[in-house]
Amino acid sequence: MVLTSADEIGGKPTGYTLSEAAHPWKVFRDAGHVVDFASIAGGTPPIDPASEHDEITDEFEADATVQAGLTNTAKVEFVETDQYDAVYLVGGHGTMVDFRGNEHLARIVGEMADSGAVVSAVCHGPSGLLDVELANGLRIVEGRKVSAFTDDEERAIGLAPTMPFLLSSELEAQGAVLVAAEPWAEQVSVDDLLVTGQNPASAAGVAKEVVKILTTLVRAEKAEEQAASDELRAEKDAEKAEEEQA
């Protein structure tokens, strides 16, 4: 998981949205995956004080392993992408300050996409997809189905004037095929190995789709390994049969 390090936007306190980290964390953990935390500046990322709390966020904040990881998150420039099967960009208005234009985050997203890993993000997290170019020369969102916090949702909470840009509009400007539901409704979009969600209500859904993809990839990998093993066994059996006939 990658989190923002920005604690202010437009003169108001901000950070990452707690539920957008906690709900996916629970999905990943319950599926048996190990979750590491990274942030733009490293150290302890700020929680947006406007974050809502529930049983899952309480569990997240009470988990000793989580808190140890969040107290000393890795700085994005030191993240080695070959150690991971997926990256998840946690949302929150802070991401609008420090995700876009960060060369180290762009490297992580680009390298993972190019290597066939899963790239995912929710709400304002897709700001970390902006301007990211792949090895094929295309932007990662170009021609891809993407969901993110909509301009209407931004206006509805009165923060559009304080944003450096409107996220959904910028994604569309870079060629994304924006898929949006009604404000505050869950919307998760899956385009090959790119998984995105519209708002906090979509966070757990994004994680569930990531888990589905990872499970499919693991099964495919195991099937290939089994096929190779069967082929090798058949070759050895054939060699043994020839030796016995001789």
Side-chain angles (χ1 to χ4, degrees):
M1 287 190 178
V2 182
L3 305 103
T4 179
S5 293
D7 60 6
E8 181 180 313
I9 187 168
K12 296 181 179 180
T14 190
Y16 71 90
T17 300
L18 183 59
S19 65
E20 293 175 20
H23 290 195
W25 161 79
K26 181 171 176 57
V27 172
F28 293 139
R29 187 205 61 180
D30 290 354
H33 296 288
V34 176
V35 178
D36 287 341
F37 299 98
S39 64
I40 299 301
T44 305
I47 299 173
D48 190 321
S51 296
E52 296 183 358
H53 293 256
D54 57 27
E55 290 184 3
I56 296 176
T57 62
D58 290 344
E59 182 182 356
F60 181 78
E61 293 191 294
D63 188 279
T65 301
V66 168
Q67 293 312 306
L70 287 174
T71 299
N72 189 30
T73 62
K75 199 172 182 179
V76 285
E77 65 183 277
F78 300 122
V79 172
E80 298 180 6
T81 57
D82 60 359
Q83 303 298 309
Y84 299 99
D85 298 312
V87 61
Y88 169 75
L89 308 185
V90 180
H93 280 96
T95 65
M96 298 289 283
V97 176
D98 62 2
F99 268 23
R100 186 180 190 180
N102 184 281
E103 62 178 315
H104 305 295
L105 178 57
R107 172 188 61 82
I108 291 171
V109 172
E111 286 182 356
M112 297 200 74
D114 286 332
S115 69
V118 183
V119 174
S120 60
V122 74
C123 201
H124 290 89
S127 58
L129 306 179
L130 290 169
D131 309 318
V132 175
E133 287 194 5
L134 303 178
N136 61 14
L138 296 176
R139 286 176 169 163
I140 189 172
V141 300
E142 196 168 337
R144 311 284 292 279
K145 292 184 294 184
V146 176
S147 293
F149 203 63
T150 66
D151 297 354
D152 286 342
E153 287 171 317
E154 204 73 81
R155 295 187 185 99
I157 59 175
L159 292 180
T162 64
M163 293 298 107
F165 54 89
L166 291 177
L167 179 55
S168 286
S169 289
E170 283 296 296
L171 288 166
E172 284 190 300
Q174 294 200 1
V177 179
L178 195 68
V179 182
E182 291 298 313
W184 322 121
E186 179 179 357
Q187 172 59 51
V188 176
S189 293
V190 180
D191 193 313
D192 194 17
L193 299 181
L194 178 63
V195 185
T196 51
Q198 180 172 322
N199 45 38
S202 310
V206 168
K208 289 174 183 177
E209 291 299 332
V210 172
V211 168
K212 286 180 185 178
I213 294 172
L214 291 177
T215 300
T216 300
L217 292 175
V218 168
R219 287 175 177 169
E221 188 175 299
K222 287 184 177 180
E224 289 179 2
E225 292 175 353
Q226 185 62 50
S229 177
D230 292 344
E231 183 178 350
L232 181 60
R233 185 180 296 108
E235 291 176 358
K236 289 184 177 180
D237 288 346
E239 291 174 359
K240 185 176 180 180
E242 289 179 2
E243 292 174 357
E244 292 175 347
Q245 290 179 356

